[in-house]
Amino acid sequence: MVEDRGPSCLIVGNYCHDVLIKDDTVIGESLGGAASFISGVLDVFSISSTYISKVGTDFSYPVTHPALICPSFKTTVFHAHFSSEIKREERVLKRVCACDPIAPDDLPNSHFSFGLAVGVGGEILPETLEKMLDICDIVFVDIRALIRVFDSIDGTVMLVDLRETGFYRLLPRIRFLKASTDEAPYVDVEEVRKCCCLVVTNGKEGCVLYEKDKAQQVAPFPTIEVDPTGAGDSFLGGLVAGLVQGLGVPEAALLGNLFGSLTVGVIGFPSSI
């Protein structure tokens, strides 16, 4: 008799080196990449998960779920620039180094209950997402994986409309699409909600779930924000963990808000989760 191990997850997205810079001074360096924050949440619930991430030989951090080593590439590096001149919480994000993209052949030929496409540095290709949709029952996509582009000179992160990407044709097959309030203008909310659940996160305001015939606000957890890096990733991990545990979507989103609030209270990766 084969043992039933419950739902399984496939998480696709590279690990990164994150460098926080305020007024041209480095104030912190940490493990980055959505996969690192999501693993910190899913591991709390002992959810069976497979991680497909790529790093270079210069990768500096120990991780619970090893990455694929690419000898010809360096690890993806992001510089997050903050300024004391800016009163509201705002940063300029730059990708200063990019590792090898994740190709369809890098994914296992296995079946998964859930798939999470969580690229942050342009590492997920349209054909890679298409294979995820083929091998996973339910796929969650962070919109960053689809609409981020990078300045050819200094790597500044910019956004483009989803319709302008090679991912647009796959939208009807995606079950959950997550976007921040800064990213939501780059999708047509009314169009997206017809085919999937659009989750829009809004920091201390919580999140809103947009489904075919309704929109629902999900309450936040109050916290003091120190560093917003990874909050959306931890939110997504909590959302998925809640659904795996059998919660409804609003309750799972509330759990996501909890993990997001824990993440913004520290610089870099939260060790307390």
Side-chain angles (χ1 to χ4, degrees):
M1 182 177 179
V2 178
E3 180 183 0
D4 182 6
R5 298 185 179 182
S8 57
C9 293
L10 172 66
I11 296 89
V12 180
N14 287 348
Y15 294 124
C16 306
H17 292 165
D18 282 350
V19 181
L20 276 64
I21 302 169
K22 186 173 184 179
D23 298 332
D24 297 323
T25 300
V26 174
I27 61 172
E29 299 184 36
S30 66
L31 171 65
S36 62
F37 290 93
I38 289 172
S39 67
V41 177
L42 297 186
D43 289 350
V44 168
F45 297 91
S46 300
I47 294 171
S48 175
S49 304
T50 297
Y51 290 76
I52 305 298
S53 300
K54 288 185 173 181
V55 297
T57 55
D58 62 334
F59 187 54
S60 300
Y61 299 96
V63 290
T64 305
H65 305 277
L68 303 172
I69 306 296
C70 302
S72 300
F73 289 82
K74 290 186 176 181
T75 302
T76 299
V77 178
F78 280 95
H79 286 182
H81 293 264
F82 297 85
S83 172
S84 56
E85 297 295 320
I86 301 175
K87 301 303 180 184
R88 59 197 175 105
E89 296 297 331
E90 195 171 281
R91 63 178 178 172
V92 175
L93 191 62
K94 298 183 178 184
R95 187 192 68 178
V96 299
C97 186
C99 196
D100 192 30
I102 298 172
D105 289 346
D106 295 317
L107 305 185
N109 292 314
S110 306
H111 175 265
F112 297 88
S113 305
F114 299 94
L116 287 77
V118 290
V120 295
E123 67 268 30
I124 295 181
L125 308 173
E127 53 267 34
T128 305
L129 177 57
E130 187 165 22
K131 181 170 179 178
M132 291 185 67
L133 292 163
D134 290 338
I135 63 177
C136 301
D137 292 333
I138 297 174
V139 174
F140 300 73
V141 177
D142 192 316
I143 193 69
R144 291 178 304 178
L146 313 186
I147 65 172
R148 273 189 174 180
V149 294
F150 308 91
D151 184 86
S152 60
I153 303 299
D154 66 0
T156 297
V157 176
M158 300 174 289
L159 305 176
V160 297
D161 193 282
L162 179 61
R163 289 175 176 163
E164 299 175 18
T165 73
F167 298 97
Y168 180 69
R169 63 184 175 82
L170 301 173
L171 182 60
R173 300 180 61 190
I174 296 170
R175 289 284 295 276
F176 290 87
L177 184 66
K178 184 194 79 69
S180 68
T181 52
D182 291 334
E183 297 159 343
Y186 295 87
V187 298
D188 184 330
V189 173
E190 295 306 315
E191 177 186 22
V192 172
R193 71 193 297 183
K194 292 176 183 177
C195 55
C196 71
C197 178
L198 174 64
V199 185
V200 178
T201 58
N202 189 20
K204 61 183 179 181
E205 301 298 325
C207 67
V208 181
L209 307 175
Y210 293 95
E211 298 180 272
K212 285 184 179 180
D213 54 357
K214 63 181 179 179
Q216 182 172 353
Q217 177 79 39
V218 180
F221 285 83
T223 188
I224 297 175
E225 183 173 304
V226 176
D227 174 19
T229 304
D233 306 320
S234 293
F235 167 85
L236 186 56
L239 173 67
V240 173
L243 293 174
V244 170
Q245 299 297 314
L247 298 180
V249 176
E251 293 75 22
L254 185 62
L255 184 63
N257 284 345
L258 171 62
F259 281 102
S261 70
L262 294 174
T263 299
V264 300
V266 300
I267 292 178
F269 186 78
S271 58
S272 59
I273 287 184

